[in-house]
Amino acid sequence: MLTSLALLFLVGILFSQILERLRLPGLLGMILTGILLGPYGLNWLSDSLMNIAAELRQLALVLILLRARLALDLNDLKRVGRPAILLCFVPAAVEILGYILLGSRLLGLSMVECAVMGAVIAAVSPAVIVPRMLKLMEEKRGTDQSIPQMIMAGASADDVFVIVLFSSFLTLAQGGER
């Protein structure tokens, strides 16, 4: 398992650096590494690592959200007020509503299926948002209006909101059996 982790980290860093030199996001290199080395690619990762992959993803999410929380200043969010609160649920709600209204007409799916799909698409990835906002905060860009802090707080709360909606919609789609 340690060999698989080392291979994953080293190839991920290598691909990230290569893609950054090509002026592409380094995160894309890490995603490509997972695809290439994972079970749908070369299958070079050990089974023991693949068995704990879900726990590792949860650990990574906790660390990312913890990092975001340590960078947030509650006084900045209080100063901004209502826009910070609205950023927590309005974007996701509008996206899900758009999928419900347009998906059933354009894709021929039921409204519940469109709601599930909308909840999946509306989720914001903290792995992408948090590092970018921390970089903006370090560069003092937008910090006068607390924009990076607002986006980080909104992205974190947005994920909780979307997860609750997704669970509810999925239960509805399965006929209420749970």
Side-chain angles (χ1 to χ4, degrees), residues 117-149:
M117 185 172 63
V120 169
I121 300 296
V124 175
S125 175
V128 175
I129 299 294
V130 170
R132 294 293 177 196
M133 294 305 111
L134 290 174
K135 184 178 177 188
L136 288 177
M137 290 168 64
E138 288 172 4
E139 295 172 355
K140 305 284 187 215
R141 296 174 69 187
T143 53
D144 294 341
Q145 298 86 13
S146 302
I147 292 171
Q149 294 92 327

Side-chain angles (χ1 to χ4, degrees), residues 144-162:
D144 294 341
Q145 298 86 13
S146 302
I147 292 171
Q149 294 92 327
M150 213 172 28
I151 291 173
M152 275 197 310
S156 301
D158 178 83
D159 278 349
V160 173
F161 176 68
V162 169

Side-chain angles (χ1 to χ4, degrees), residues 7-119:
L7 180 66
L8 197 60
F9 286 134
L10 292 175
V11 174
I13 291 169
L14 176 69
F15 279 15
S16 176
Q17 294 295 318
I18 291 170
L19 288 178
E20 283 178 359
R21 288 191 181 156
L22 296 172
R23 301 198 190 278
L24 293 170
L27 182 63
L28 185 60
M30 294 179 192
I31 292 171
L32 290 174
T33 300
I35 293 169
L36 178 69
L37 298 180
Y40 299 106
L42 299 173
N43 197 20
W44 285 359
L45 301 178
S46 70
D47 290 336
S48 58
L49 181 64
M50 296 309 296
N51 290 337
I52 64 166
E55 289 84 9
L56 290 175
R57 280 193 299 273
Q58 287 179 347
L59 178 64
L61 179 61
V62 167
L63 291 175
I64 290 167
L65 291 176
L66 182 63
R67 184 175 173 203
R69 173 60 186 113
L70 292 174
L72 287 177
D73 185 5
L74 189 57
N75 293 327
D76 286 342
L77 293 175
K78 286 180 182 177
R79 184 171 46 90
V80 174
R82 189 181 64 168
I85 303 271
L86 292 175
L87 196 57
C88 293
F89 65 89
V90 170
V94 170
E95 286 181 50
I96 292 170
L97 186 63
Y99 273 93
I100 291 170
L101 295 175
L102 295 175
S104 58
R105 290 184 179 95
L106 296 176
L107 302 174
L109 300 173
S110 72
M111 292 182 104
V112 175
E113 291 170 331
C114 290
V116 171
M117 185 172 63

